[in-house]
Structures are given as C-alpha cells and as structure tokens.
Amino acid sequence: MVSFSRRSKFLLATSATLFLASCGADDVASPGAGSLPITIVQPAPTPTPTGTATPTALTNAQIALATTQSGVTVTADEQVAILNAGQNNNLQGFGNTLNGVYPISGTSLAAASNPQTVLGNTSFIQNTSYVGALSGPNDSAFSGWTCSSTAASFLNSASCTAVPAIGTGGSAAACPAGTTDDGLVQTFRACRLPQQITSDLTLPKIAGVFYRFRGQTEVGDINATTGVTLTIAAGVVLAADSSETSNDLLLVNRGSRLNAVGTADAPIIFTAQQNLASNGVSDATQGLWGGVVLLGRAPTAVCAAGTGPNDANGSSPTCQQAIEGVTGRFYGGTNQADSSGTLQYVQIRYTGIAISEGNELQGLTLGGTGSGTTIDHVQSHNSSDDGVEIFGGATNLKYFVVTGADDDGFDVDNGWRGFMQFIIAAQKASGSTADSFATEIDSNGAEDLLPRTYGRYANFTFVQTNSAPAAIRLRGGADFAFVNGVVKTASGGACVNIIAGAGDGATRTTIRAADSALQDVGPPTFNSVYFQCQGR
C-alpha cells in the first residue's frame, strides 16, 4: 500500500508537470530521482535588552578632593561621610542628565527636600519639588533677561556677543540732564556719566542712546556724608569707554544707592563699548572693564588694621575694610539691614581686571552690603575673575547666574551671612584658572573671625566644564548648608573640597561640632544634592 506521504508527493509532481506542459514546457528536464532540496532561512533572533550599563563606582578620592592647609587635612573619606550623613544625596550620578544647565527631563535628578524646612527660612527661600536651579527642559525662569553663550544657553535669550537693543534714532537724540554728549559711537548717541555723581541722577531709556562711563565712576561721597541714588530705567545700556586706557568701573560708596530695575523683556545691560559693534566681542572676550562695586554699612569680619576686631553681632562701630581693586574705598558698619539699592533683571558682561595678585575686580563685587539690598535676576558673564564676590554683609541673592567666569562663580568670605536660591554657575569650556570653583567659600584664612561666614544655598546648578580641581570649595571654618542642588564636573574634577585650616581631630575648623561660643553651628550639611563627578 502506498503511503499518504508518497501519494502526496506523486500528485504534486504530476500536477507540476501538467502545469508546465500547459505553458509549452513539454521538454523541461526532470529533477531526477531523490528529494528536492529546500533551504529555510531562519530570522535573526531579537537581542535581549541589556539596559544602560552602570559605570564603576567612583572612589571617595574621586568624589572629594583632600587638601592639606597649615598641616591639617580633611580626608576624602571624611568628606564623603559628611555627604552621606545628609538625606537624598546621590554621589554616583552618571549619564546624559543635563543639556547644558537644563535637566533632560522634568523628573528631578534626586528626591527633593523642602528647603524652607531644611534651611529654616520661609521669608526668602521658596519651597521647591526639584533639585537644581531649573525644574526641567522647558523651565522659563531664566528666559529672555539672560544672554546665551557656549558656557550656557537659555531659552529665548539673545547671544551675549550680540549688540544690545539700544534702538535707532541716535543721531537726533538728546542726552538727559546730568550727562555729557560724547557724540556718536557707531550709530548710537553716547551720553557720558560724570566721574563723580554727587546728586541723584536718573538715566531714562531713550531710543538710540547708551550711557558711557570712563575710569573709576563713583556714586556718592567716599566719606558717606551724603546719600546719592543713581536710578537706571529698564532697557538701558551702559558701556565702559574703550577709547582710553584707564580701568573703567562703577562704584557705589557707603550710604549711596544704585537702583537698576529692568524687566524680563527689557533687562539693563552693563557692558563694554566693544560690544556695541557687530563682531566687536567673541565668546572668549573678557576683562574689558572692572565691573560693578557696591559698598555698604553692614558688618564685616575682616577689619583693617586698627579698626577691629568685630564680634558675632557685628557691633563694632569702627571695623571697616578696604575693598579690593581700588584704593581707599571702604565697606563695613553695624547696620545688618543696610541698603545699597536694587539690581533686578541686569546683565554685567565682559568684566574683570587683576590689579595685582589677590587684588581683582569681578563682575559684581559686594562689600558689606546689608539685607536691605535687593539682588535678583542678575547675570555676570565672562568675567576674567569671579562672577560675583561677596565680602561680609548680609545680602541675599536669588536667580543669579554666572556664565564663563575665568575664576570662581560665587566667591563668599569675610563673614558674609546670607541665603541664595536659584543660582547657576557654568564655567567656560577652557582657559579658566587652575584654582577656579563654581563656589569658593571661606573666611579669608582666619578661621574664627566674627561674624563667622554663614551661608545657605538652595536650588543650585554648578557645571564645571574645565579641569578645575572641584566644584565646591568650603574652608576657613565657614558654616554652610546645601539643599536641592546639581553638581557636575569634568573629567579629573572632584565635586567637593572641604578644608580645615586649624585644629586637630574633632576640633578641626569647618567640620567640628557646633560651638555657640564661637558662633559655629557645626559641620556643613548636604541634602538632596545630585553629584555627577569626573565627567561621567
């Protein structure tokens, strides 16, 4: 009996022969005896997803840089122990988490803490539910009033190298009272400020007009016998005079005020005259003038010879100190709530002059300015020294961004006591000094001077794009707390560098236990900080 399989093969072969014959293929050769070979190609198997590879964990020495000062060392292990003592910190961050200074997604990189609770401040500090200065890729808090560069690009913000929006009509414009007509620069009317402003002066926004200042331009009397206010309208552009060689800067003496209040759509811009011509500056330009200096009557811990010492309350009526970068201009006093004016929606571009080693002018310098001084929505761009340096006083900062600084982003010392929130430091990609940090915090090498340097940072984003030794340097016995932050460093860069310059064992300054007799609240604290160190 023929099997079913063989019969099926026979019927198939017969049918195929008849079909070919019907097509005129009677002489088609038979394949001959045996079975017809059939090759079956199997599809490639779908690979099993492996997920994102987790890099090798960083060592403590890669996270924290140990520095010996005056024979005292805080080891990397001890520094990491301080970080681990906080809540919600991530010390092993890696991967594609930031697009410049913006988070890639709206999901917080670490579980946020309530900064009001952690820092004990509900009047200045806002509660937030995310870490870093920005909540996500579409956060518009820094849009428009900032300028963009390779250091950091902001949503809907013009390039820092672009000519500011001065407007047209300069040839027909008239300079306001109190200024001098310096003629046309490019197509803009230059209205020069007096070098010594001895009475109240208002600079209105006039289409086609910019305000030029030359040399050391001062507001008020150096002896603080009279109070003078310089008021600047929204959208005004001020430019340092590049037609001569003197060090240009704007300095507000104790007892006087600078009220520069811009808007998100019309920021006030302090820049150099080179910035008024197309291609007059580049992304690498810096150090064209000396920046803005505000001096106040709030306490300082560092007193000039014969004027101190001060105490924890800053109550010494004689303690004062000379400000860096100029000669014979002092800050300090006993008024914690002193006001040196208001800076809101302001850009300060292409600043920084080194007079000598350790004697520099920054983007913004605050000397003994009090809590009555309002500073928010301010950008310091491409300073050849620090973005902002604060010597003593009690001024708080909010929405402050430092881009492209050659040295530190936020440098605080000499007994500054205050709060900062929504702050960004994005360093230049190359060329910055080897000793630069996103923030440098100390007491000028004097570990127990009073008032003790005391600061609180909330919602900060620090991006070190060069090979600086670390992002956060904390030393000199300063008391600090950090909450809701993002710290990212380049390859070779640690995230923190905590230094003690005196003491031994448990008595080492900066990390010792609280001691009210020394106005010391204890070791630094870190909560809800995402650390992405070593270029990971």
Side-chain angles (χ1 to χ4, degrees):
M1 181 175 178
V2 180
S3 70
F4 176 80
S5 177
R6 291 179 64 192
R7 277 189 309 208
S8 298
K9 292 178 180 177
F10 174 77
L11 290 172
L12 285 170
T14 303
S15 299
T17 302
L18 291 172
F19 176 76
L20 290 169
S22 68
C23 296
D26 295 331
D27 58 348
V28 173
S30 169
S35 61
L36 184 67
I38 300 174
T39 301
I40 299 175
V41 179
Q42 296 288 346
T46 302
T48 303
T50 58
T52 303
T54 301
T56 302
L58 295 176
T59 65
N60 289 350
Q62 291 174 308
I63 296 169
L65 174 67
T67 300
T68 299
Q69 180 175 310
S70 301
V72 182
T73 304
V74 182
T75 68
D77 291 347
E78 289 174 314
Q79 295 179 58
V80 170
I82 290 172
L83 303 182
N84 284 329
Q87 296 182 338
N88 303 325
N89 296 320
N90 181 351
L91 277 60
Q92 298 290 337
F94 70 95
N96 188 24
T97 56
L98 294 180
N99 179 14
V101 295
Y102 285 84
I104 293 295
S105 76
T107 302
S108 182
L109 289 171
S113 299
N114 183 339
Q116 292 179 331
T117 301
V118 174
L119 303 182
N121 183 313
T122 58
S123 59
F124 178 79
I125 296 294
Q126 296 174 217
N127 186 22
T128 54
S129 58
Y130 57 90
V131 302
L134 295 143
S135 62
N138 299 311
D139 190 331
S140 61
F142 292 84
S143 298
W145 59 270
T146 52
C147 65
S148 293
S149 66
T150 56
S153 182
F154 298 95
L155 298 176
N156 304 314
S157 293
S159 170
C160 295
T161 60
V163 176
I166 297 173
T168 59
S171 60
C175 290
T179 67
T180 301
D181 190 339
D182 266 358
L184 294 179
V185 175
Q186 310 301 327
T187 59
F188 309 124
R189 176 71 58 189
C191 299
R192 181 161 43 88
L193 304 183
Q195 215 166 337
Q196 188 74 44
I197 300 173
T198 56
S199 60
D200 292 350
L201 178 62
T202 296
L203 305 180
K205 171 65 175 177
I206 302 173
V209 166
F210 77 95
Y211 295 95
R212 174 192 261 176
F213 53 96
R214 178 182 298 163
Q216 185 169 311
T217 300
E218 299 189 42
V219 179
D221 183 80
I222 62 172
N223 297 314
T225 56
T226 58
V228 173
T229 299
L230 174 62
T231 301
I232 305 173
V236 162
V237 175
L238 300 95
D241 190 350
S242 60
S243 66
E244 44 77 57
T245 59
S246 62
N247 291 333
D248 304 320
L249 67 138
L250 179 65
L251 182 145
V252 180
N253 282 297
R254 287 184 291 187
S256 292
R257 299 185 180 188
L258 171 62
N259 286 335
V261 181
T263 67
D265 297 326
I268 293 167
I269 299 176
F270 292 88
T271 190
Q273 196 168 300
Q274 291 92 323
N275 196 189
L276 305 189
S278 296
N279 302 314
V281 292
S282 73
D283 199 61
T285 299
Q286 58 182 184
L288 298 181
W289 62 290
V292 177
V293 180
L294 303 184
L295 305 180
R297 292 168 166 164
T300 174
V302 180
C303 311
T307 71
N310 217 334
D311 58 25
N313 295 320
S315 59
S316 170
T318 58
C319 176
Q320 63 176 5
Q321 179 61 290
I323 196 63
E324 282 189 3
V326 297
T327 302
R329 301 298 182 266
F330 290 86
Y331 64 91
T334 59
N335 185 3
Q336 299 272 2
D338 188 46
S339 173
S340 295
T342 300
L343 269 67
Q344 291 179 312
Y345 296 102
V346 168
Q347 295 176 24
I348 305 172
R349 303 180 182 179
Y350 308 115
T351 61
I353 297 175
I355 307 301
S356 60
E357 181 64 30
N359 184 27
E360 301 98 359
L361 290 164
Q362 285 67 228
L364 176 64
T365 302
L366 304 179
T369 57
S371 60
T373 305
T374 298
I375 297 181
D376 63 70
H377 296 87
V378 174
Q379 178 181 13
S380 174
H381 175 67
N382 273 28
S383 168
S384 67
D385 198 64
D386 301 329
V388 56
E389 185 161 12
I390 306 178
F391 299 91
T395 299
N396 301 319
L397 272 60
K398 186 174 283 186
Y399 293 106
F400 200 112
V401 55
V402 177
T403 49
D406 200 37
D407 197 7
D408 307 317
F410 297 85
D411 190 344
V412 300
D413 43 41
N414 289 26
W416 172 71
R417 299 179 67 80
F419 295 81
M420 297 188 196
Q421 188 174 24
F422 308 116
I423 60 174
I424 296 173
Q427 286 192 311
K428 61 193 304 187
S430 62
S432 60
T433 61
D435 197 40
S436 59
F437 303 86
T439 185
E440 184 175 53
I441 302 153
D442 60 29
S443 295
N444 202 30
E447 309 291 301
D448 284 324
L449 288 182
L450 299 176
R452 181 175 300 282
T453 300
Y454 170 100
R456 280 22 192 166
Y457 287 173
N459 292 99
F460 56 93
T461 298
F462 295 155
V463 178
Q464 299 269 143
T465 54
N466 57 14
S467 297
I472 298 172
R473 168 172 276 183
L474 175 60
R475 63 182 176 180
D479 282 329
F480 252 74
F482 304 82
V483 60
N484 289 359
V486 173
V487 179
K488 185 175 181 179
T489 66
S491 177
C495 279
V496 297
N497 177 217
I498 301 174
I499 303 171
D504 181 68
T507 68
R508 285 171 293 174
T509 56
T510 312
I511 64 167
R512 66 191 174 197
D515 186 340
S516 59
L518 297 172
Q519 201 185 18
D520 193 339
V521 299
T525 62
F526 296 80
N527 289 280
S528 298
V529 181
Y530 176 86
F531 295 98
Q532 189 168 339
C533 318
Q534 300 290 339
R536 303 211 310 169

